[in-house]
Amino acid sequence: MKKLILFGPPGAGKGTFSSQIRKVLPDIIHISTGDIFRENLKNETPLGLKAKGYMDKGELVPDDVTIEMVRDRLTREDVKAEGFILDGFPRTISQAKALTNITEVDLLLLLEVPRDLIMKRILGRYACPNCNKLYNKYTLPPKVEGICDACGSEIKFEQRSDDNEETLKNRLDAYEKNAKPIIKYYKKMGILKKVNAENTLKFTEKDIKEILNI
Ligand code: AMP
């Protein structure tokens, strides 16, 4: 049972790397705060409506809203039994400190990727609307154009509404500003590990086990 944080700028490949980790730890629960917000937005829940304005601009949703949402998810039985991969949380030092009060964490993986690759990854990425499998117009297209490799549904390139150049700049700025104290905090705890994430898809199961110390 592992309790993991995936940390890195937007486009570092946290979603893709989570899928890789699930090949070696199939029951671990993947918790992406961005996905939870998007799901709530789609269903027009009160939480989704609260988050909408911030997400549209590429700004962070306020800490109190985000922390309560994560606390609720992390204290459920499935997570207690199987462990978790936190993807997109914490994003501020207050969130990191709040997390310490909610649960222990075994490892924070800091995914490092050069800026130009980040832009390519973000501006080209899309997902299958049926099964959420991730693709990239430039770096990871489906095997047969227009058909999802995983579930066979028809798919077309459709950007996430916040994956445009203007919003991306805000999101990268927010990351730069907040990342430093968070990295320092986990370094001091002794659980930070850097991962060169330029090509995570090439990682073998053995590579991933080594990274996770299992
Ligand atoms: P992501 O899919 O992780 O890039 O998140 C998409 C958007 O959801 C972000 O730009 C924020 O508006 C919001 N969001 C996701 N995670 C957090 C977080 N930990 N704190 C605040 N806002 C978040």
Side-chain angles (χ1 to χ4, degrees):
M1 213 258 271
K2 280 278 173 191
K3 299 174 172 179
L4 308 172
I5 299 174
L6 285 187
F7 193 76
K14 298 188 285 287
T16 304
F17 196 49
S18 298
S19 311
Q20 306 264 91
I21 292 174
R22 290 177 66 199
K23 284 186 191 155
V24 295
L25 295 172
D27 296 324
I28 198 165
I29 313 283
H30 176 224
I31 302 173
S32 153
T33 42
D35 283 352
I36 301 177
F37 281 134
R38 275 185 290 280
E39 187 65 25
N40 277 277
L41 206 66
K42 199 168 89 188
N43 297 326
E44 298 182 348
T45 68
L47 178 66
L49 296 176
K50 261 190 221 168
K52 183 177 177 1
Y54 301 99
M55 291 181 75
D56 285 346
K57 284 185 270 179
E59 289 170 5
L60 292 181
V61 177
D63 281 339
D64 53 345
V65 177
T66 310
I67 290 167
E68 278 325 298
M69 178 178 91
V70 171
R71 185 194 306 278
D72 171 64
R73 188 67 192 90
L74 283 177
T75 45
R76 291 197 216 152
E77 291 308 315
D78 56 347
V79 172
K80 283 188 194 159
E82 306 295 351
F84 58 80
I85 306 172
L86 268 178
D87 166 352
F89 185 96
R91 280 243 223 324
T92 64
I93 189 69
S94 311
Q95 291 180 10
K97 289 180 178 166
L99 180 63
T100 303
N101 289 325
I102 300 171
T103 178
E104 286 175 354
V105 174
D106 300 321
L107 197 59
L108 177 141
L109 298 175
L110 173 59
L111 304 190
E112 297 187 308
V113 179
R115 273 242 172 179
D116 54 337
L117 186 57
I118 289 179
M119 302 293 284
K120 225 181 187 178
R121 279 188 178 168
I122 292 202
L123 299 175
R125 74 178 168 185
Y126 62 113
C128 169
N130 181 44
C131 73
N132 280 329
K133 184 171 167 54
L134 297 171
Y135 294 99
N136 188 291
K137 200 164 113 172
Y138 310 108
T139 58
L140 188 64
K143 288 190 186 101
V144 179
E145 204 194 312
I147 306 288
C148 176
D149 298 345
C151 73
S153 300
E154 269 187 43
I155 44 172
K156 61 178 192 308
F157 173 65
E158 205 170 302
Q159 261 182 344
R160 245 169 66 175
S161 63
D162 61 346
D163 278 351
N164 56 68
E165 278 192 57
E166 178 56 28
T167 314
L168 177 56
K169 192 180 168 304
N170 286 337
R171 285 155 66 207
L172 286 172
D173 288 349
Y175 173 77
E176 297 291 337
K177 183 168 146 258
N178 290 308
K180 276 195 190 124
I182 298 175
I183 290 171
K184 200 167 151 198
Y185 182 77
Y186 286 99
K187 231 184 213 166
K188 203 166 161 201
M189 252 188 220
I191 59 168
L192 181 140
K193 190 170 195 174
K194 290 183 182 175
V195 176
N196 178 341
E198 275 178 73
N199 214 340
T200 45
L201 283 173
K202 288 231 170 93
F203 287 172
T204 62
E205 290 197 4
K206 185 167 164 274
D207 295 333
I208 293 171
K209 283 183 178 165
E210 243 167 57
I211 292 170
L212 299 179
N213 302 324
I214 52 175

